Amino acid sequence: MDYGAGVLIAPRVLLTVASLIKGFESWTVRYGSNIFGQLSSVTSTIAFLHPNFRTGEHFNVNDIGVVLLPNPIVGNVSPISLPQTEVSLPRQYEEGQITNFETNLADPSQGFTPTSILRSAFLTVFPQPVCAQTFPNITESVFCAFDDHYLSNLCTGDRGTAFVVIFRGIETLAGLTSRVSPGCDDRSTFTQIQPYIDWIRAVANL
């Protein structure tokens, strides 16, 4: 059993990381409330992970996947926009928003409690040479983002969390959380969305 996050990009299409798909035959998606114990759920048995996905010591490569839902999610949950620009997103030193449920504060490895609430933080994207100090040989389709001021961070259960930027007035999905620090006290890496747009649209029939 594993758990993490994902983001709706169409009423029946959830984008997440391949590391949450590989090795499993079904996926339960919870949605619709900012309180964990009040979420609705739907289970899918159809998912695709990127054919070139591989895990690494410091970061994962091509860590992206698609879960197809049996029924569309409608109501108070809206799909997010994918990047539709030649501008490379996220840009260096751009601030992005991450949103996920807080884990069990006493023991993050135990996951979420029924009263866990949705929280947001803002992280800054740093250039590859800065990322490489923590993640040697980091590739172009992977970026790192962190907050050294408030020390906001990602933790257990946060893989697949969306990294969202505002591009020309539109909330746009720029990345997905790929690797987090085991101790929840270090920097995280993200899969950049733009290089995979064609693959996403093909497997999701968008």
Side-chain angles (χ1 to χ4, degrees), residues 18-156:
S19 53
L20 288 173
I21 292 176
K22 187 174 182 179
F24 298 96
E25 296 181 352
S26 66
W27 301 266
T28 297
V29 178
R30 300 177 185 271
Y31 65 95
S33 175
N34 61 356
I35 300 175
F36 189 80
Q38 298 179 10
L39 294 170
S40 301
S41 66
V42 60
T43 298
S44 171
T45 57
I46 302 175
F48 303 88
L49 55 83
H50 195 278
N52 296 323
F53 164 67
R54 68 178 189 272
T55 59
E57 180 181 0
H58 298 287
F59 59 87
N60 296 333
V61 179
N62 302 310
D63 194 6
I64 195 165
V66 169
V67 177
L68 299 183
L69 305 177
N71 300 299
I73 292 178
V74 296
N76 62 344
V77 181
S78 300
I80 195 166
S81 297
L82 295 174
Q84 301 183 49
T85 173
E86 294 181 358
V87 177
S88 182
L89 297 178
R91 290 167 283 194
Q92 291 185 12
Y93 300 110
E94 185 168 19
E95 188 175 67
Q97 184 175 13
I98 54 172
T99 304
N100 206 345
F101 288 94
E102 62 182 7
T103 52
N104 187 321
L105 298 180
D107 184 359
S109 67
Q110 296 301 310
F112 310 114
T113 66
T115 57
S116 292
I117 61 174
L118 204 61
R119 294 188 180 277
S120 289
F122 295 88
L123 306 181
T124 300
V125 178
F126 283 84
Q128 295 296 78
V130 176
C131 295
Q133 295 174 14
T134 305
F135 309 104
N137 303 312
I138 191 168
T139 63
E140 288 299 321
S141 61
V142 179
F143 66 92
C144 74
F146 49 91
D147 171 19
D148 280 344
H149 184 71
Y150 293 105
L151 303 181
S152 300
N153 208 349
L154 292 150
C155 194
T156 303

